[in-house]
Amino acid sequence: MSLIVMKFGGSSVGDAERMKRVAKRIVERKQAGHSCVVVVSAMGDTTDDLIDLSKQIYDGAPPAREMDMLLTTGEQVSVALLSMAIHNLGEQAVSYTGWQSGIFTEPVHGKARITDIQPHRVLNALEQGNVVIVAGFQGMTEAGEITTLGRGGSDTTAVALAAAIKADLCEIYTDVDGIYSTDPRIVKVARKLNEISYDEMLELANLGAAVLHPRAVEYAKNYNVTLVVRSSFTYNEGTNVKEEAVMEQGIVVRGIAYDKNVARISILGVPEKPGQLAKVFIALAEEQIDVDIIVQSGVISGSADFSFTTTLADREKALTVIEEIRREIGYREVTSEVNLVKVSIVGAGMVSTPGVAATMFKVISDLGISISLVSTSEIKMSCVVDNTNLTEVIRALHTAYGLDTMEQAFVGGPEDRR
């Protein structure tokens, strides 16, 4: 008998029939002798629908607190329905919100981090023979305010809970049967990975691979959580995420990710004197604005230009912050650009293999695409380019690095395979 945390994403519980299929799978694990804690996302497009509804009610950005109150209702619908479905199959189940489960977060609305988990209620319910179903994506501050963990936060809920209750295994169920070398919706012959290291997965997640949330991978690495990504539609073996993964012979680049949630901001004519960059990025940090790639040009006539990327959602706020410190910095002008995509390659063997960067630059160049920004580390390289030819870029890079296979990737249920 083992203690398992099972997380099911929105597509896995997208309608009543899929909800019943998930309930059947959970009951199978329970009847095999395992104790099960289940974390569930909102059904299908519920979160997007709630966001759209808020836009019909409120002009501009709604109050962050009220958005968290609104968005957490999606997961509460899922946990209640899934509990009913399990009861209908003859097993005991109890559903909890994030705060009922003892999940505490920092006092930040929209993208809070978990600060503590006090899982007494979850453990007591397990001892009573229940399947415990927890709403993902949400928690509560010490002051009793409801918060959300940001998009993909249900993954974080699952892994953090697994660490807190010392689960033997954490399974992330999704609509693909593992982690692929790139998005299998774009590259049908993408390579399924049997295993991948925490570090490689963390890079891919941070760079846009949607199969796992970055904070979930951080928790798994920090607390050595046994993590498996697999399909909720099949019983195929999934992908193990672990400390060290076996590298396939001849495969240097393990994955290709992309992120369309990118805006570029350039600050031009910044006087060259100590502390200028610090003032800009301290001001952005105080407003909880995440900054990614930063590039500074050479100094010409006592001034420099520099560019950085942020998310599309943070673009307007970042521009406002920069305008507010214009007199303090004394820059000439600010420009911004959207309709961009960050394309990245990841692999633990890249640092010791010559020509990896040259291949990426040549592939993009051969497609007639200019590169705006470049960022590198020991195991990844990212290029920001125009998003018009994203599909062609991903497919060309996938082929160039020898990642194509002879098999079709599996996406969705049997009725969705194409």
Side-chain angles (χ1 to χ4, degrees):
M1 182 175 178
S2 62
L3 176 54
I4 302 173
V5 174
M6 308 168 73
K7 181 264 175 178
F8 293 90
S11 61
S12 300
V13 292
D15 56 36
E17 288 307 312
R18 291 187 176 193
M19 189 79 74
K20 291 177 183 178
R21 185 187 301 129
V22 165
K24 180 175 180 292
R25 186 152 195 163
I26 295 165
V27 168
E28 288 172 354
R29 300 303 288 275
K30 179 73 164 58
Q31 293 179 347
H34 303 290
S35 296
C36 300
V37 175
V38 182
V39 175
V40 190
S41 299
M43 296 175 66
D45 296 325
T46 297
T47 301
D48 290 332
D49 292 341
L50 291 171
I51 291 172
D52 289 342
L53 186 59
S54 74
K55 292 177 180 177
Q56 297 175 39
I57 297 294
Y58 194 93
D59 297 329
R65 180 188 184 276
E66 304 311 324
M67 280 303 293
D68 277 359
M69 289 290 287
L70 175 66
L71 296 182
T72 51
T73 63
E75 278 70 21
Q76 291 179 54
V77 170
S78 293
V79 294
L81 291 174
L82 184 56
S83 179
M84 294 177 192
I86 291 173
H87 277 285
N88 197 50
L89 294 174
E91 286 290 341
Q92 291 178 249
V94 60
S95 63
Y96 293 141
T97 62
W99 45 97
Q100 286 177 317
S101 307
I103 299 173
F104 290 89
T105 76
E106 61 186 4
V108 175
H109 289 291
K111 50 182 178 181
R113 289 181 176 271
I114 295 173
T115 56
D116 187 28
I117 296 182
Q118 298 174 13
H120 315 298
R121 196 168 184 179
V122 171
L123 294 172
N124 287 339
L126 284 172
E127 289 177 3
Q128 295 168 16
N130 289 288
V131 172
V132 180
I133 308 170
V134 176
F137 174 67
Q138 59 188 247
M140 182 177 69
T141 69
E142 292 290 345
E145 290 293 318
I146 293 172
T147 56
T148 61
L149 309 182
R151 278 302 180 93
S154 293
D155 290 348
T156 308
T157 302
V159 179
L161 261 178
I165 65 177
K166 296 180 171 55
D168 299 290
L169 175 65
C170 181
E171 296 180 320
I172 306 294
Y173 288 84
T174 182
D175 58 353
V176 293
D177 60 353
I179 296 164
Y180 281 84
S181 51
T182 195
D183 186 345
R185 297 166 186 81
I186 290 180
V187 180
K188 301 299 185 185
V189 291
R191 180 182 299 263
K192 180 181 169 184
L193 307 178
N194 293 324
E195 54 186 46
I196 188 171
S197 70
Y198 290 131
D199 288 337
E200 289 174 319
M201 190 65 244
L202 184 56
E203 287 284 11
L204 285 170
N206 276 316
L207 295 167
V211 68
L212 277 177
H213 193 279
R215 290 183 194 171
V217 186
E218 287 178 9
Y219 266 101
K221 178 178 172 61
N222 292 339
Y223 295 96
N224 198 29
V225 174
T226 302
L227 186 60
V228 177
V229 178
R230 60 193 312 173
S231 172
S232 60
F233 300 101
T234 75
Y235 287 82
N236 297 341
E237 291 295 323
T239 299
N240 295 300
V241 185
K242 53 198 295 189
E243 185 61 41
E244 293 185 8
V246 177
M247 292 182 61
E248 295 180 63
Q249 186 69 28
I251 302 297
V252 176
V253 172
R254 299 266 283 162
I256 300 171
Y258 65 91
D259 184 2
K260 293 190 285 187
N261 186 25
V262 176
R264 174 183 175 175
I265 296 176
S266 298
I267 306 180
L268 310 177
V270 179
E272 176 60 20
K273 56 184 179 181
Q276 296 291 74
L277 288 180
K279 291 176 183 177
V280 172
F281 292 108
I282 287 172
L284 292 170
E286 287 174 346
E287 294 299 321
Q288 303 292 320
I289 296 171
D290 292 328
V291 173
D292 188 14
I293 301 173
I294 305 171
V295 176
Q296 180 176 341
S297 67
V299 179
I300 301 176
S301 301
S303 66
D305 302 337
F306 68 90
S307 300
F308 63 89
T309 59
T310 187
T311 64
L312 291 172
D314 282 340
R315 171 176 165 268
E316 289 298 331
K317 189 195 296 187
L319 290 172
T320 300
V321 169
I322 294 167
E323 179 61 32
E324 290 172 349
I325 60 173
R326 181 168 195 158
R327 183 172 299 177
E328 184 179 358
I329 302 299
Y331 58 80
R332 185 176 72 253
E333 66 173 313
V334 173
T335 64
S336 68
E337 187 179 359
V338 294
N339 297 321
L340 300 171
V341 62
K342 180 173 65 176
V343 178
S344 307
I345 57 174
V346 174
M350 286 171 48
V351 68
S352 59
T353 305
V356 175
T359 298
M360 186 172 196
F361 294 148
K362 185 176 187 305
V363 166
I364 295 174
S365 173
D366 287 348
L367 290 171
I369 298 169
S370 298
I371 298 173
S372 299
L373 298 169
V374 177
S375 175
T376 64
S377 75
E378 289 187 345
I379 66 170
K380 66 97 172 173
M381 171 173 286
S382 300
C383 294
V384 177
V385 300
D386 184 275
N387 71 4
T388 306
N389 303 103
L390 172 61
T391 299
E392 290 80 358
V393 171
I394 298 297
R395 288 174 176 168
L397 286 171
H398 199 269
T399 300
Y401 287 114
L403 294 172
D404 293 352
T405 68
M406 299 298 292
E407 298 180 3
Q408 290 278 307
F410 183 87
V411 180
E415 69 278 11
D416 297 329
R417 191 166 190 177
R418 49 188 175 273

